[in-house]
Amino acid sequence: MPPIEIRRIEWRSALIALAALATLATLATLAAVAQPDAGATPATNLNAAGVEFFVDPEARARRQAEDWRASRPADADLLMRIAETAQADWFGDWTPDPYTAIGDRVSRVVGAGALPVLTLYNIPFRDCGLYSAGGANDPDHYRAWIVNAARGIGERPAVVVLEPDALSATECLTPGQTSERFELLAFAVDTLEAQPMTDVYIDAGNASWLPPDETARRLAQSGVDNAAGFALNVSNFYATDPSIAHGVGISDALGVEGGTHFVIDTGRNGNGAWQSDDPETWCNPPGRALGERPTVDTAHPLVDAYLWIKSPGESDGECRGAPPAGEWYPEYALELARNARWE
């Protein structure tokens, strides 16, 4: 019998080999993913009759409200403004098995009679190394991750907001990496849209980031023609009217007959953007408010929905005494709820 240490090495080698074979098998499916028909009518989940969004009974805002119910009842009531409103589910590099995680979530939401809204956030070199840095290790891992995300959705209806900031935040990339990023976004669009009931909206920044014609140029390179449209104001604070005007400018620049549709993140835009000389006006700015609740009744022919894509109360990053990006920040959530201009 070989020594214990040798057996451990043999087992470790075997596990590594099995993992490599699994990755190769996943990558081998890439060529088999059906590509959408260029002339096909895009899916319209958000335009269907009776759309319902999922309100998570286990949301962090609800848990916080329950914790505060006895000691801070007025604040608990305010937090229920967030807890009782539908928000998107995010998946990224913290989701090593997107097939299972997304599949389980979609099953739960669809089972509740609602439409899943998913945000995929795993592009390599994510956030240019800032507060939300991370993402897949390399393009092949990203492609494999996207394939498994699409498999997780399967033939169920879903709306996917694809890669917040990826289209606009390219200043940290070389020209070659920038081209590769647009190719990865186009791959993700094609792979996800190949699912029969999936609508993809490519994140396109916000009303003050890039000019509409430049955003349109990048969207065209990223496969927007095969997507349901684009998304604006994700995790940001720009008011709805300027966001609509910006989206119409992008749509006009794309030049598609009938216009390219879009969705707007209204979760934290009730008071508009913070007017300040601070370069981090986007990072937990003071005095902001919840915006319009999620709805498909936008009264604009190109705006498919107002959505809460960024969950109000989750930190933008370690600025102004806040916790790391994505962590629950109850006092900020409370401020957003207190400043909301609706009951």
Side-chain angles (χ1 to χ4, degrees):
M1 180 178 292
I4 292 174
E5 187 58 34
I6 292 176
R7 293 203 307 274
R8 285 177 178 166
I9 292 172
E10 289 173 347
W11 274 106
R12 200 175 298 127
S13 299
L15 289 172
I16 291 170
L18 287 172
L21 286 172
T23 299
L24 288 172
T26 299
L27 290 173
T29 67
L30 301 184
V33 174
Q35 300 302 309
D37 179 358
T41 301
T44 54
N45 284 315
L46 291 171
N47 297 324
V51 174
E52 296 286 343
F53 296 115
F54 182 68
V55 177
D56 190 348
E58 300 170 5
R60 288 190 275 191
R62 185 177 295 275
R63 296 200 301 268
Q64 187 71 67
E66 291 170 353
D67 288 345
W68 283 354
R69 180 59 58 195
S71 59
R72 300 170 61 175
D75 291 343
D77 286 343
L78 284 171
L79 276 191
M80 291 305 293
R81 292 178 168 185
I82 298 175
E84 293 177 344
T85 305
Q87 297 149 55
D89 293 301
W90 289 57
F91 301 89
D93 48 3
W94 59 91
T95 315
D97 179 9
Y99 171 69
T100 300
I102 291 175
D104 289 349
R105 190 59 170 178
V106 169
S107 292
R108 182 177 184 186
V109 175
V110 171
L115 174 64
V117 179
L118 316 173
T119 305
L120 302 189
Y121 194 48
N122 197 29
I123 201 82
F125 305 110
R126 190 181 66 208
D127 201 32
C128 276
L130 295 176
Y131 294 127
S132 296
N137 290 333
D138 56 59
D140 282 346
H141 280 89
Y142 183 70
R143 292 186 185 96
W145 191 87
I146 287 292
V147 166
N148 283 316
R151 290 178 58 234
I153 296 169
E155 297 186 358
R156 283 87 59 86
V159 168
V160 174
V161 177
L162 185 62
E163 298 297 347
D165 298 346
L167 190 89
S168 303
T170 58
E171 64 274 7
C172 63
L173 306 178
T174 67
Q177 289 170 333
T178 301
S179 295
E180 182 176 69
R181 170 164 291 185
F182 298 153
E183 290 170 2
L184 290 177
L185 290 172
F187 172 85
V189 168
D190 288 348
T191 302
L192 292 159
E193 284 280 358
Q195 302 305 309
M197 299 187 70
T198 299
D199 298 339
V200 178
Y201 293 83
I202 307 170
D203 181 77
N206 58 63
S208 72
W209 201 333
L210 296 173
D213 57 347
E214 174 60 17
T215 300
R217 185 186 71 82
R218 297 184 184 199
L219 282 169
Q221 289 183 269
S222 302
V224 73
D225 286 350
N226 292 329
F230 56 92
L232 291 176
N233 203 47
V234 174
S235 299
N236 220 293
F237 302 86
Y238 288 89
T240 302
D241 285 348
S243 294
I244 291 174
H246 186 62
V248 170
I250 294 170
S251 179
D252 289 346
L254 285 166
V256 175
E257 184 178 356
T260 301
H261 288 222
F262 55 99
V263 297
I264 299 173
D265 186 350
T266 59
R268 307 185 298 174
N269 76 345
N271 281 342
W274 186 33
Q275 302 302 312
S276 171
D277 293 333
D278 189 318
E280 292 187 333
T281 56
W282 51 269
C283 188
N284 305 310
R288 301 309 93 199
L290 302 176
E292 291 101 330
R293 291 183 176 96
T295 181
V296 296
D297 297 322
T298 67
H300 194 285
L302 292 182
V303 183
D304 286 345
Y306 301 144
L307 302 171
W308 284 15
I309 298 171
K310 167 82 171 185
S311 294
E314 291 185 358
S315 174
D316 295 315
E318 295 173 271
C319 62
R320 285 178 262 285
E327 289 194 9
W328 177 242
Y329 190 5
E331 295 303 330
Y332 197 73
L334 183 61
E335 181 180 17
L336 291 168
R338 182 181 291 119
N339 293 340
R341 300 181 182 182
W342 41 262
E343 295 300 325

